[in-house]
Amino acid sequence: MTFEDSMKRLDEIVRAMDGDKLSLDEALDLYKEGMELSVECKKALEGAKLQVKTLSAGEKSE
């Protein structure tokens, strides 16, 4: 799943949890999925940040 797909799914989860139509079990399942997606998105952002740092450092040394 791409970063953008993960963010879209997180948005869907937040919208669903904002409503009051979920059972407790459904809400817990969505919360768990959201937390997992959040961790994956954070890893992707940290990887992108490292790439930018690496590229910037290479640019400065030239």
Side-chain angles (χ1 to χ4, degrees):
M1 183 178 287
T2 66
F3 175 80
E4 291 79 8
D5 290 340
S6 295
M7 290 299 294
K8 182 178 177 184
R9 180 63 183 142
L10 276 170
D11 186 52
E12 292 169 356
I13 290 170
V14 169
R15 289 174 194 252
M17 292 185 74
D18 277 343
D20 58 355
K21 296 181 181 180
L22 296 175
S23 69
L24 179 59
D25 287 337
E26 291 171 323
L28 287 172
D29 287 343
L30 285 177
Y31 180 81
K32 181 180 175 186
E33 181 185 355
M35 291 303 295
E36 291 169 355
L37 287 169
S38 175
V39 167
E40 291 304 314
C41 286
K42 184 176 179 181
K43 286 179 186 178
L45 288 172
E46 288 173 356
K49 183 179 176 181
L50 181 60
Q51 284 183 333
V52 168
K53 270 186 163 180
T54 302
L55 291 170
S56 294
E59 215 174 80
K60 291 178 184 177
S61 66
E62 291 179 6

